[in-house]
Amino acid sequence: QKEVEQDPGPLSVPEGAIVSLNCTYSNSAFQYFMWYRQYSRKGPELLMYTYSSGNKEDGRFTAQVDKSSKYISLFIRDSQPSDSATYLCAMRSNAGGTSYGKLTFGQGTILTVHP
Amino acid sequence: DVKVTQSSRYLVKRTGEKVFLECVQDMDHENMFWYRQDPGLGLRLIYFSYDVKMKEKGDIPEGYSVSREKKERFSLILESASTNQTSMYLCASRKGGSTDTQYFGPGTRLTVL
């Protein structure tokens, strides 16, 4: 079983739709949760960052973390064609030492928003 | 802006060749990472370096080695390329400390024939 599971999609939605992207994980030590966005032929870039449980909102994007269920979500409101990309969840524990900063990624979900 | 560059966007090599992939970052970051990205598998960590001349194995180090002689440069070496190393290779850098932001390069699409 993978430490982090993410539905690869692909997911296709009309412009203006609300998009929900999700990841589940098995390692209860994970404390820091991120969403990266990757456009075609580009490297991933950090989109959202959350520590522990709770919600975080940034414009049309909301990240949610439910540590009790080991489940994280990214919601995109009023989706736009420019949101078409691969979305990767990533997480890490609070372990120190040389492992500090090592992220575990999900498989990525391919999202297409069509006009 | 942080910039992470990779030496090639596309590379085609033959089985058994020695392959060098180079990554350079311009923000004086302590940590650097090499990942491979495959459909359905996401990003998997090959090696990372937390400082010059320091390296640590990631989740899939077999068949790879790395070199970090200067802070800004992190090289991935395939000693004897094999077809199952055909993949997208991504380099990333991160400032040491509490930040989690990793800055990625554009990737190198390697095909081993």
Side-chain angles (χ1 to χ4, degrees), chain A residues 2 8 32 34 36 38 41-46 49 86 88 92 98-103 105-108, chain B residues 9-10 31 33 35 37 40-43 45 48 50 56 58-59 90 94 97-98 100-102 104-106:
Chain A
K2 292 188 176 73
Y32 301 87
M34 287 135 269
Y36 279 79
Q38 184 178 21
R41 291 185 293 277
K42 301 272 189 184
E45 57 180 353
L46 183 66
Y49 176 91
T86 298
L88 298 139
R92 73 166 176 91
T98 58
S99 296
Y100 198 81
K102 179 174 174 280
L103 300 179
F105 284 84
Q107 297 93 317
Chain B
R9 292 302 303 269
Y10 300 94
N31 306 154
F33 307 80
Y35 296 90
Q37 185 175 27
L41 297 176
L43 269 70
L45 182 65
F48 67 102
Y50 47 93
E56 195 158 321
D59 300 317
L90 289 161
R94 169 187 171 270
S98 61
D100 272 305
T101 306
Q102 291 191 15
F104 284 85

Side-chain angles (χ1 to χ4, degrees), chain A residues 19-108:
Chain A
V19 175
S20 171
L21 305 169
N22 312 294
C23 288
T24 58
Y25 62 95
S26 57
N27 187 346
S28 57
F30 286 142
Q31 296 275 359
Y32 301 87
F33 304 92
M34 287 135 269
W35 287 94
Y36 279 79
R37 178 176 61 194
Q38 184 178 21
Y39 290 116
S40 181
R41 291 185 293 277
K42 301 272 189 184
E45 57 180 353
L46 183 66
L47 184 63
M48 297 287 283
Y49 176 91
T50 312
Y51 168 66
S52 196
S53 283
N55 292 3
K56 185 172 184 178
E57 190 173 319
D58 184 1
R60 296 184 294 110
F61 298 89
T62 300
Q64 285 186 353
V65 175
D66 181 349
K67 289 189 68 184
S68 61
S69 303
K70 297 192 181 69
Y71 188 87
I72 71 169
S73 301
L74 177 71
F75 297 95
I76 308 174
R77 289 184 301 281
D78 187 25
S79 57
Q80 302 294 310
S82 58
D83 295 327
S84 299
T86 298
Y87 290 80
L88 298 139
C89 63
M91 46 198 80
R92 73 166 176 91
S93 70
N94 207 23
T98 58
S99 296
Y100 198 81
K102 179 174 174 280
L103 300 179
T104 301
F105 284 84
Q107 297 93 317

